[in-house]
Amino acid sequence: MITALLQLAVAGAAVVGAAEAELRPPAPGVVELGERLVEVVRYDGTRAEIEIETPWVASAEIDVDGRLDDAAWGQAALLEGFTQFSPIEGSEATQRTEVLVLVDDDAIYFAVKAFDEDPSGIRATLTERDGFAYTDDYVRFILDTFDDQRRGYVFTINPFGVQHDGLWNETGGSTGRRGRGMFSPIDDSPDFLWDSDAEMTDWGYEAEIRIPFKSLRFPEQEEQSWGLQVERKIQRTGYESSWAPITASVANRLTQAGKLNGLRGLDMGLFMEVNPFVTGARNGALDDSDTFAHSNPTGEFGFNATYGITSNLTLDGTFNPDFSQVEADAGQVQVNERFALFFAEARPFFLEGTEIFGMPKQLVYTRTIQNPIAGGKLTGKVGGLNVGYLGAVDETFSAGGESVYVNLLRARADVGASSTIGAVYTDRTANASEFNRVAGADARIQLGGRYTVTMMSARSFTNEASFSERRDGTMGFLRLERAGRTFQYSAEFEDTQGAFNPGSGFFQRIGTAQANSRASYTWFGRRDALLESMAPSIEVKAFWDHDRFWGGQSFEEGEIQLSSRFGFKNNITIWANYQLSRFQYQPEQYEGLFVQGSGGSTQPFRPAQEEFDLMPSATVGIWVNRWQKVRGNVRFTRSQRPIFDRFYRVAVEPANSLSGEARLNLYPTSSLSAEVGANWSRLTRRSDGVEHSTAIIPRVRVRYQFSRALFLRSIFEYGSQESLSLQDSASGLPLVSCGDADCFERSGGVNNDVRIEGLLGYEPSPGTVFFFGYTRQMRDARAFGFQDVQPTADGLFLKLSYRFRM
């Protein structure tokens, strides 16, 4: 009750402040520019002065060098009065921040003066683009150019002027490497062309930013308003503040932004980009005689092109696109995994402008396009309708030896203040008798600002030469969420028929019905208290076979989990959870699995169901971001879990499990960084105490940044994953899978793979790069033996590209 009254009081104060702001014009303020004191128009966020009459000059002529000494800043508007939104919502920011904003005919400009009472504690590294959001102090700008409270451009700088950019997406879903935090709404996949610089001072740091209108999409209107939010984070404390006040009791953060009003005559002019590239490589591999040999050097040429049809509609095309990844996917533990592992998209052409394809469930997963010859995209917003089309010719050959033609079509319409409805169509076609097509619709409805309802349904149509008839299947999804500073709640349900085939998407489980619900409560301590926050939660999940669910039968898998997160002073977080799981499989799911006797005879395999009831699991972890030179996290899990047959995806026998991960981030200097980490897992059979599987994957990544553009990076990864053959726990006899004629042992395997990567890179701006790298893959005869290491593949590669803008 007290909390509710406090929230009501804060909301009432904001309303009164907003009403006063309408009656009282913003007061003048004084800002120091170089050695001058200049009077400018001031907008104070604490007084709800968040409606800006945008200042304009014909040509700002600002040299973006991080020093606020250009004459044009004297005509800018001053934004101040930041308030904290994490962890103590609504309190005064611990450090003062001043922001200047100015517009000319070609660009929008921002300047920052970030004051700090302890400048020596500012976190700043000369690091890779998009790579500092969880390590460095920063100031972030969010521009909602369509003022629709659904999507915004994100531009972030650290105290050295290193850039991070992306898209703030309130409509849900992503097709790229969405954010780097578990619940982040930022998709940092897109890279835009903009200018920034910053420098440290004896009172904090200052910065300048120039964002050309050619890098933004906005309505074709003579006069328009943009949403604007400015945020600042101080890493040593974890404190976050904003210019326009933010409350977690409203689901949509973009609705709480301020406004840039009076933007007139915006014109991006002719917009066209051409990004040609050349690549060269010389690869080696083991041949059929187990001899390592190198192929002749090869080279490729291709290009990407972008044309701005209007200020809000963009056409992209590519020929012989370069879809090489500069860095290989980090290794993941694969032993005893039933389902496919997800790897985020990292290829530039697919990442740019594809936020429109984000949906509640991933019906578009562009990594299904594996080896495209050419591709094209059309994306943009027309009125309240977002549209997107992506087409490609993929040399991932079909069963008939033909290329696959991919077409992805998406439309999403704005409804009301911040709700949306959408439709999607995907098509993978090789010929008239071999195709996969999916049609779907979705909606995201926000109610009362706090509640969000998300719905989606789709139907697939699949035909293959091996099918006797076409297979059609449906899926459905429903989620309810409640936002709140203290109490949060979510519940969702998903159902897919066994015949549903998302050929261009990614679903880990098909043919199941699943439901889960989560409730959490967050308690906040006072500022500077040892314990700043505590967040207990409870989560319940259940899984059914699709047909059994609709037949009214009980669930096959279920779990209940109690968790809590403790946030301590100086950015230290401890979390813990306790979970009980239950696995119950039906006899028909084991058809094809047999126990093989000593004489070769077989009998059907059926495990004892009681072995998989109420299997406990406990996890503890800690994340420390207190010190400037050393940061890291450790997680440890002890549990009981089944040993799974990966092909049949069923439990075979129970095991005791130990698993965990550790990450240590080192920053010896502002230019040198290293990440040292490892994942590990061990399963021990409960029937006889024998170790069934182990996996250890250590990884070291070292990066030296000579400048913001020039770097040298090296990666070492060792993946040791071993598992025994499956057995019947009651008899100790091996398990086999039997078809019409033969039986095959459900064998384990041994993999001791070593990978070394080195890369010299020069990347002054996105799309303009020079890369020279070497990768070597090896196989160790014995885990961490390092005595009989045999190379299995290597590659020397070169890439050169330049991004022309007109």
Side-chain angles (χ1 to χ4, degrees), residues 70-120:
D70 299 282
W73 287 125
Q75 303 179 58
L78 171 64
L79 316 184
E80 61 178 10
F82 281 57
T83 55
Q84 192 176 119
F85 64 88
S86 177
I88 310 301
E89 185 179 290
S91 63
E92 183 181 356
T94 59
Q95 307 296 335
R96 184 160 60 98
T97 307
E98 295 178 352
V99 173
L100 296 171
V101 59
L102 180 68
V103 169
D104 71 5
D105 285 341
D106 300 316
I108 182 169
Y109 297 82
F110 294 102
V112 177
K113 295 175 73 73
F115 297 90
D116 200 303
E117 296 172 354
D118 180 18
S120 63

Side-chain angles (χ1 to χ4, degrees), residues 427-597:
D427 178 18
R428 293 177 60 87
T429 297
N431 53 59
S433 61
E434 196 168 352
F435 59 81
N436 170 264
R437 294 159 189 162
V438 179
D442 62 290
R444 189 174 188 268
I445 310 299
Q446 290 201 326
L447 305 171
R450 185 188 295 270
Y451 295 92
T452 304
V453 179
T454 305
M455 299 172 283
M456 184 171 189
S457 64
R459 185 170 182 84
S460 69
F461 311 90
T462 306
N463 197 71
E464 294 181 9
S466 59
F467 291 176
S468 58
E469 59 182 17
R470 196 181 75 187
R471 296 181 183 177
D472 300 346
T474 61
M475 66 80 58
F477 175 79
L478 175 66
R479 179 169 61 215
L480 170 67
E481 299 169 276
R482 180 193 188 274
R485 170 169 164 75
T486 54
F487 178 68
Q488 305 91 33
Y489 175 77
S490 66
E492 65 179 52
F493 175 77
E494 177 185 338
D495 177 60
T496 58
Q497 291 182 335
F500 179 72
N501 180 7
S504 297
F506 181 87
F507 281 62
Q508 277 197 323
R509 307 181 74 162
I510 298 294
T512 64
Q514 48 188 290
N516 70 71
S517 179
R518 185 178 186 273
S520 64
Y521 182 87
T522 305
W523 170 87
F524 295 94
R526 60 177 177 81
R527 180 181 287 183
D528 295 327
L530 176 63
L531 181 62
E532 293 182 334
S533 65
M534 181 172 61
S537 65
I538 181 171
E539 185 171 8
V540 180
K541 297 181 180 181
F543 296 84
W544 296 260
D545 173 81
H546 166 82
D547 294 332
R548 288 177 57 82
F549 173 81
W550 294 105
Q553 302 180 55
S554 63
F555 62 88
E556 299 173 18
E557 297 180 42
E559 64 182 53
I560 181 170
Q561 177 176 285
L562 300 175
S563 307
S564 191
R565 187 187 73 252
F566 304 89
F568 291 91
K569 185 179 180 180
N570 296 321
N571 223 358
I572 298 175
T573 303
I574 296 176
W575 68 93
N577 66 57
Y578 182 79
Q579 176 180 299
L580 287 175
S581 303
R582 179 174 182 262
F583 299 86
Q584 179 177 341
Y585 293 94
Q586 305 309 308
E588 62 270 14
Q589 295 175 295
Y590 290 86
E591 291 183 3
L593 267 180
F594 296 85
V595 180
Q596 188 172 54

Side-chain angles (χ1 to χ4, degrees), residues 349-350 354 357 366 369 376-378 388-392 406-409:
F349 176 76
F350 286 133
T354 56
F357 293 103
T366 52
I369 306 174
K377 287 186 303 183
L378 178 66
Y389 166 78
L390 190 154
V406 180
N407 292 281
L408 311 174
L409 183 62

Side-chain angles (χ1 to χ4, degrees), residues 98 161 163 182 206 211 330 342 352 397 420 445 454 467 489 491 612 707 762 776:
E98 295 178 352
Q163 299 179 352
M182 189 172 180
E206 59 183 353
I211 305 170
F342 178 84
E352 297 293 338
F397 296 114
T420 60
I445 310 299
T454 305
F467 291 176
Y489 175 77
F612 306 109
S707 66
Y762 178 70
R776 188 173 182 87

Side-chain angles (χ1 to χ4, degrees), residues 44 142 145 227 233 325 380 430 530 571 663 745 763 770 803:
D44 190 328
I142 303 168
T145 56
K233 183 163 187 178
Q325 289 178 249
L530 176 63
N571 223 358
R663 293 286 182 275
E745 187 173 325
E763 190 172 9
F770 169 78
R803 188 172 179 177

Side-chain angles (χ1 to χ4, degrees), residues 38 95 116 213 323 338 358 373 380 409 430 452 489 530 560 648 668 688 732 784 786 795:
V38 179
Q95 307 296 335
D116 200 303
F213 293 136
F323 290 111
R338 286 186 291 169
I373 302 169
L409 183 62
T452 304
Y489 175 77
L530 176 63
I560 181 170
Y648 291 94
D688 54 13
F784 300 99
F786 295 106

Side-chain angles (χ1 to χ4, degrees), residues 282-288 290-295 777 791-795:
R282 187 169 187 259
N283 299 317
L286 288 175
D287 59 21
D288 295 337
D290 218 25
T291 301
F292 195 85
H294 285 95
S295 61
Q777 297 180 7
T792 56
D794 74 351

